[in-house]
Amino acid sequence: MSKKVEYSLFNDVCGFVDDAAKHMDLHPGLLDQIKQCNSIYKFNFPLRNEDGTYETMTGYRVQHSHHKLPVKGGIRYSDHVDEEEVKGLAALMTYKCALVNVPFGGAKGGVSIDPLKYNERQLEKITRRYTAELIKKKFIGPAIDVPAPDYGTGAREMAWIVDTFEAFNPELINAKGAVTGKPLSQHGIDGRAEATGQGVFYGIREAVSVEEDMASLGLTVGLKGKKVIIQGLGNVGYYSAKYLSEAGAKIVGIAEWNGGIWDESGIDVEAIKNFQIENKGFKGYSRGEFIKNSKELLTYPCDILVPAALENQITNVNADKVQAKIIGEAANGPVTNEAEKILLEKGVMVIPDMYLNAGGVTVSYFEWLKNLSRVSFGKLEKRYDMEKYRKLLGTIENATGERFTDDEKDGLIKGASERDLVLSGLEETMVTAYHDMNKKRKEKGIQSLRTAGFILALERISISYMDLGIFP
């Protein structure tokens, strides 16, 4: 009896790399080294429950590329976690970091559990034991491998991880830098919670700002009036929807695992989020139409579709039914390789995940830098800047005889907070990377932004490997 061939995210990512390599002159051996995972750690550990029963947990940590150290990537808790998924997500992290010029190699980790089936005490035990297993094999550390939150984990789990790491490494002054996405009380960074969604917003905003590209799609420039459907109203989906809506886009559909909402007149993002928190879903929401099979919303009419949930959502089964002109991949791998080919033939612009959801790792980089320097951004210069601007305004007032209002003064002399600097750095990263990627696409005469992104990433990774040489 032949075994069914399972979908492999890692093979999909390697397919994207091969597509990009056709437009480059890379040595086959170098390309193979770039594609393969450098280290794969799979391990099992027991959980003792309070009723005296035992469970065996399976954990993973994959380090895809050591061309830059430390490696970086999230930890997910999901019963879908397996080796192929973790390898694929680790590989995506490598190319993502290279594309947005963040100096990390790619990694990913996870535990194969449904976190909703465990209480907080059990999750803490699982997280701390998972961390201890990584420590034993030197698969975590501020100079080696720096995890972060992913699907099913958050700031709480990162606090448990850093506490466990510090317990094993009491002499390490940079220990807080062993993990990012921590609570602010544990030297996290202001702006991290909304970073990925904010990055999605910046990326889509830049895409719709290019007149030539919008004309070819039959769209006007800018976000104002654009109809948007979001899949997933978790952290990334919520902040993406919030910022797109605030910029003038109209959210007409939101899909969640247990049903969606469709409302052509526009959805109030704050109101529906509050309803979702209270009711664990959208059923019973007073406005719009409840869509029981929410995956159907992916094929509803809109200008921009933002899949912000799980991978493998748009496939060769539903790609030809997608009506959006632009797909912004806020999730990891929501459009399969086969589906993208169908979409490109239809003239759809796909803004790839490796670029669009890089806001999280960009701000994680800033948090890591903060932990290494052991000082908050803006703390040293904020008051100095304020005094400098106050004197400058005084000089202008004396020279012109005009007086600024108190509100104008407050706005002009305000020094940058940590959050201001983080969002400024994020915006700079996302804006520069989009136009670099789009420029490469046009230089190579190709349609796919993803292929252009992979070309750019491969160029940077290959230069790094060639400059490093091979030891011994």
Side-chain angles (χ1 to χ4, degrees), residues 160-171:
W160 293 334
I161 289 172
V162 80
D163 182 62
T164 308
F165 184 81
E166 287 181 306
F168 278 84
N169 298 277
E171 77 296 339

Side-chain angles (χ1 to χ4, degrees), residues 287-356:
R287 300 192 58 185
E289 179 191 349
F290 180 74
I291 309 294
K292 190 176 179 184
N293 181 7
S294 66
K295 205 167 178 181
E296 288 175 3
L297 277 168
L298 297 173
T299 62
Y300 274 43
C302 63
D303 299 311
I304 303 169
L305 173 63
V306 183
L310 289 170
E311 63 270 7
N312 204 18
Q313 296 301 298
I314 299 171
T315 65
N316 57 353
V317 175
N318 60 356
D320 62 330
K321 300 186 191 84
V322 169
Q323 297 184 57
K325 302 281 182 70
I326 299 170
I327 296 178
E329 291 188 316
N332 283 314
V335 179
T336 65
N337 206 342
E338 287 177 321
E340 183 167 29
K341 289 181 169 71
I342 296 166
L343 292 165
L344 291 175
E345 278 175 25
K346 288 173 61 177
V348 176
M349 172 190 274
V350 180
I351 308 172
D353 51 0
M354 64 182 292
Y355 161 71
L356 197 61

Side-chain angles (χ1 to χ4, degrees), residues 10-258:
F10 180 68
N11 289 344
D12 237 11
V13 175
C14 288
F16 292 133
V17 173
D18 289 336
D19 287 345
K22 290 172 189 169
H23 302 275
M24 303 173 70
D25 183 23
L26 284 180
H27 189 286
L30 175 59
L31 182 63
D32 197 42
Q33 169 60 33
I34 291 170
K35 280 160 61 177
Q36 296 307 318
C37 293
N38 287 158
S39 306
I40 300 171
Y41 182 28
K42 177 182 178 182
F43 51 95
N44 298 297
F45 60 91
L47 170 69
R48 181 169 54 208
N49 294 314
E50 284 160 22
D51 63 0
T53 59
Y54 292 83
E55 290 179 60
T56 302
M57 304 282 155
T58 302
Y60 302 88
R61 189 69 182 171
V62 172
Q63 297 178 351
H64 175 257
S65 178
H66 292 157
H67 77 284
K68 298 272 185 196
L69 289 173
V71 292
K72 187 92 186 69
I75 294 170
R76 61 170 51 183
Y77 288 176
S78 162
D79 46 14
H80 295 296
V81 165
D82 61 26
E83 189 173 310
E84 285 302 300
E85 179 185 79
V86 179
K87 282 166 60 182
L89 293 168
L92 272 175
M93 281 301 296
T94 292
Y95 306 118
K96 180 185 297 185
C97 291
L99 175 59
V100 296
N101 250 336
V102 169
F104 293 132
K108 208 75 177 185
V111 181
S112 186
I113 57 164
D114 178 356
L116 299 176
K117 292 180 179 172
Y118 297 86
N119 62 34
E120 187 173 347
R121 183 171 168 75
Q122 289 172 308
L123 288 170
E124 182 174 357
K125 282 182 172 182
I126 291 165
T127 304
R128 290 184 182 275
R129 180 58 184 264
Y130 175 84
T131 308
E133 295 292 336
L134 296 185
I135 292 166
K136 278 197 282 187
K137 293 287 192 287
K138 284 198 177 294
F139 262 69
I140 184 172
I144 300 167
D145 187 338
V146 181
D150 198 275
Y151 189 78
T153 62
R156 177 185 67 177
E157 286 77 13
M158 300 309 109
W160 293 334
I161 289 172
V162 80
D163 182 62
T164 308
F165 184 81
E166 287 181 306
F168 278 84
N169 298 277
E171 77 296 339
L172 193 62
I173 197 166
N174 291 334
K176 293 282 189 207
V179 61
T180 60
K182 302 181 295 294
L184 285 171
S185 67
Q186 298 306 311
H187 302 244
I189 198 163
D190 200 0
R192 176 66 180 85
E194 64 268 44
T196 307
Q198 183 87 53
V200 169
F201 162 69
Y202 288 142
I204 294 173
R205 185 196 70 187
E206 290 309 300
V208 300
S209 73
V210 183
E211 196 168 347
E212 179 190 349
D213 297 346
M214 290 306 100
S216 69
L217 294 171
L219 295 174
T220 55
V221 170
L223 282 166
K224 197 164 179 60
K226 297 280 189 299
K227 292 179 180 177
V228 180
I229 293 175
I230 307 271
Q231 185 197 32
L233 202 65
N235 174 287
V236 178
Y238 165 68
Y239 282 112
S240 301
K242 172 182 162 68
Y243 296 129
L244 287 166
S245 180
E246 287 173 2
K250 186 192 282 189
I251 311 298
V252 293
I254 299 177
E256 260 291 352
W257 64 275
N258 56 355

Side-chain angles (χ1 to χ4, degrees), residues 380-448:
L380 298 180
E381 65 270 26
K382 183 177 179 180
R383 295 285 161 182
Y384 176 82
D385 287 343
M386 287 174 73
E387 191 55 34
K388 183 172 68 178
Y389 296 141
R390 186 178 284 113
K391 287 176 180 173
L392 178 61
L393 291 190
T395 303
I396 293 169
E397 285 181 335
N398 291 337
T400 62
E402 300 288 333
R403 289 284 174 265
F404 293 99
T405 66
D406 287 346
D407 283 348
E408 286 171 336
K409 280 184 180 176
D410 289 346
L412 289 166
I413 68 171
K414 175 181 166 283
S417 66
E418 178 169 88
R419 189 172 186 279
D420 292 333
L421 292 167
V422 164
L423 294 181
S424 172
L426 173 59
E427 184 172 10
E428 169 63 18
T429 301
M430 296 303 290
V431 169
T432 303
Y434 182 79
H435 294 292
D436 284 351
M437 178 172 64
N438 202 28
K439 183 182 174 188
K440 184 63 70 177
R441 178 176 74 86
K442 289 172 182 176
E443 270 177 19
K444 296 287 184 181
I446 54 180
Q447 191 185 356
S448 169

